[in-house]
Every structure is written in structure tokens, then in C-alpha cells.
Amino acid sequence: MAMVPIEERFPRPSVMGVVNVTPDSFSDGGVNYRAEDAVAAARRMRDEGAAIVDVGGESTRPGSDGVSLDEELHRVVPVLEALEGDVPVSIDTAKAEVARRALALGAVLVNDVTALRGDPELAEVVAASEAYLCLMHMQGEPRTMQDDPHYEDVAGEVAAFLEERLRFAVDAGISEERICLDPGFGFGKTMEQNFELLARLDEIAALGRPVLVGLSRKRSLGRILGDPDATTGPLSASLAAAVKAYEHGATIFRVHDVREHVEALTVAAAVR
Ligand code: HH2
């Protein structure tokens, strides 16, 4: 596959549908854990206007532990096989072997929430392919990241981190035009830090790469509505956050509710 720059393949705004092939994701609690359900969800998302679907076999919700390589492959491979040639796929993994298998099955993007800090072989796997890559910011690791996140300057630190990881990826042989950056909403950030980051998303966009955002159903959206113990946020709040992110320069939107986000972002994009 001859790859065009990521900003051409996924123009602003593009929607990425979330397909969690997990029993324990924070946001969709196992609805797509069975392969056939995941495949049906992915096809529906494509029909609703998703430019790509993000298939993941490991939950990264706050407090979660990792899964084994075998388990992750067992979850995602049947889904990727069924979708090959049918729906554009992103693989949400930090494991080189999962990425390798996914790319062999036609995945076009590797979404690594560790930004190439997790598996030392992942950079090489991506470099050897023509795939796109998403580098995401996270402070800490999923099991403990929400314990006490701390920043002097959240947007400045996230931007500096992403700039450093971008350089690392380019040095590993992955050309810049294949890469997008993600501030990692909810990954080691308090509600206040998430909202500050959203307000200052322009500073991430100023790094010159397309910005991917995952705000959909995140707990900060439930908490700002008044429930201090919320573990998810509603669709209405997700749409508002996505439109705000669009206005601050986001390009790709990782969402669970594809149709509603496509509609909201179509309206937002028409206002110019
Ligand atoms: N958020 C989640 C997972 N992967 N990838 C990127 N690039 N950006 C994100 O914000 C992001 C992500 C968490 O959401 P979800 O997949 O719904 O839940 P879980 O990790 O529990 O499966």
C-alpha cells in the first residue's frame, strides 16, 4: 500500500470508531468482547462515517492490569481477519507482536498509548511497515496513573513529551508524515488538568503534526457534570468536548458513538 501523508488520508475532522475487544473497558463494559459483535460494530461504525476503527484487546482504563500476548492476540486476530479489506483498521496496542500480526492483516495505523516506550521492538515493526502511528502522552502507567498526577504546566509538559517522542520515532525510521500526536486525555491527569489541556490544545497542534483526541465518554466529562465518582461521561458531554477540541485544532476523533460525532463535527466544520 502506497501511503499518503496522514493528514491527507485523514483530513480534519476524521472520526475513528472505538472497538474494544475486552471484557473490562471503562466505557463500553464488554459489549464487543465477542469477535462477531466486534466485527458487526466495526462495520456499523464504517457505515456511520468512521474513517477508521481502532481495535484493541487490552483495556488501559485507570487501575487496569495488562493482558498477556496470547490473550491479546486471541482477542484481536479473529476480528482483524474478518475486517481485512473491508474496514480500515487501527490496532490499539503497545506490543510489537500484536502490531506485527495486525499489520500483516491489513491494519493501517498503530495506536500506541505508550508512545514507543513500552515494547522496545515496536518502533522497528512500525518502521518496517508503511503504517501510520499515533504517539500518546501518559503520565505513569494505567494501574496507578490516576493516583496523584502532577504537572507544573500540563500543556507545556505534554507538548514537550510529544515533541521528544516524535523525534524518537523519526530517528527510528518512521517518517514524520506518518505520525499523529495525542495528548492522552485521562491518562495521568485530573479533571482540571484535562480541561486545561483541552483549552490549550492549540499548543499541541503547534507541533505541526495532526492531533488525535480521545475524549469520548471519559470520566472527567461525568465529573464536571457533578458526580465526583463518575467513571464515564455521557454522549452529550462527549460531543461538546469533541467540538471544542475541533475548534482548538484536533484532526482525528477517537469515539464510541460514531454517527453522533460525525454529525456534530460536520456542523462544527461548516462554521467557518
Ligand atoms: N483512550 C483509551 C484507549 N486508547 N488511544 C488514544 N490514542 N487516545 C486515547 O485517548 C485512548 C486510547 C481509553 O478508552 P477506551 O478504549 O474506551 O477504554 P479502555 O482503555 O478501558 O479499553
Side-chain angles (χ1 to χ4, degrees):
M1 52 193 154
M3 284 292 182
V4 299
I6 190 168
E7 47 268 65
E8 280 177 38
R9 174 69 192 265
F10 301 106
R12 202 169 100 83
S14 285
V15 167
M16 166 187 272
V18 178
V19 179
N20 289 318
V21 196
T22 56
D24 58 345
S25 288
F26 85 96
S27 56
D28 55 18
V31 291
N32 293 322
Y33 187 34
R34 287 175 18 172
E36 61 190 270
D37 295 332
V39 170
R43 295 199 172 117
R44 191 189 67 240
M45 290 176 185
R46 173 204 56 200
D47 294 344
E48 291 177 350
I52 190 165
V53 298
D54 190 37
V55 176
E58 174 174 77
S59 174
T60 49
R61 75 180 191 290
S64 63
D65 287 314
V67 297
S68 70
L69 172 62
D70 282 352
E71 178 61 24
E72 200 176 326
L73 287 171
H74 175 76
R75 291 178 184 180
V76 300
V77 166
V79 177
L80 299 172
E81 283 172 348
L83 295 178
E84 190 176 4
D86 193 4
V87 182
V89 166
S90 154
I91 181 71
D92 187 350
T93 191
K95 294 188 180 73
E97 184 57 26
V98 175
R100 190 180 290 124
R101 292 285 292 276
L103 294 170
L105 289 167
V108 298
L109 190 153
V110 175
N111 174 24
D112 175 20
V113 299
T114 75
L116 303 180
R117 296 175 299 160
D119 185 331
E121 288 172 26
L122 183 55
E124 213 178 295
V125 169
V126 177
S129 75
E130 290 190 300
Y132 301 114
L133 173 66
C134 179
L135 298 171
M136 194 195 80
H137 175 273
M138 165 164 36
Q139 184 180 98
E141 55 179 79
R143 202 168 46 77
T144 53
M145 67 189 176
Q146 291 308 112
D147 289 354
D148 187 23
H150 179 80
Y151 301 85
E152 296 297 329
D153 168 10
V154 67
E157 287 169 51
V158 169
F161 170 88
L162 291 173
E163 194 170 23
E164 188 272 320
R165 297 320 294 165
L166 176 61
R167 196 168 310 122
F168 176 90
V170 170
D171 288 346
I174 305 163
S175 70
E176 202 171 311
E177 61 177 23
R178 291 160 62 187
I179 300 173
C180 66
L181 303 176
D182 181 344
F185 289 106
F187 286 86
K189 288 145 193 119
T190 63
M191 182 183 80
E192 290 76 13
Q193 290 159 356
N194 284 315
F195 279 99
E196 181 178 348
L197 200 47
L198 180 51
R200 296 173 60 191
L201 200 63
D202 318 66
E203 294 174 42
I204 310 300
L207 296 172
R209 300 308 310 142
V211 172
L212 186 154
V213 291
L215 287 154
S216 178
R217 300 187 186 173
K218 292 261 159 99
R219 65 167 60 172
S220 289
L221 302 174
R223 295 190 180 185
I224 199 78
L225 295 178
D227 175 0
D229 301 318
T231 55
T232 64
L235 172 58
S236 51
S238 304
L239 294 170
V243 169
K244 274 293 179 193
Y246 175 77
E247 290 175 346
H248 286 282
T251 290
I252 303 174
F253 299 79
R254 183 181 183 278
V255 309
H256 303 82
D257 305 282
V258 169
R259 180 186 302 280
E260 292 85 348
H261 279 84
V262 167
E263 290 173 353
L265 290 163
T266 301
V267 172
V271 180
R272 56 173 111 204

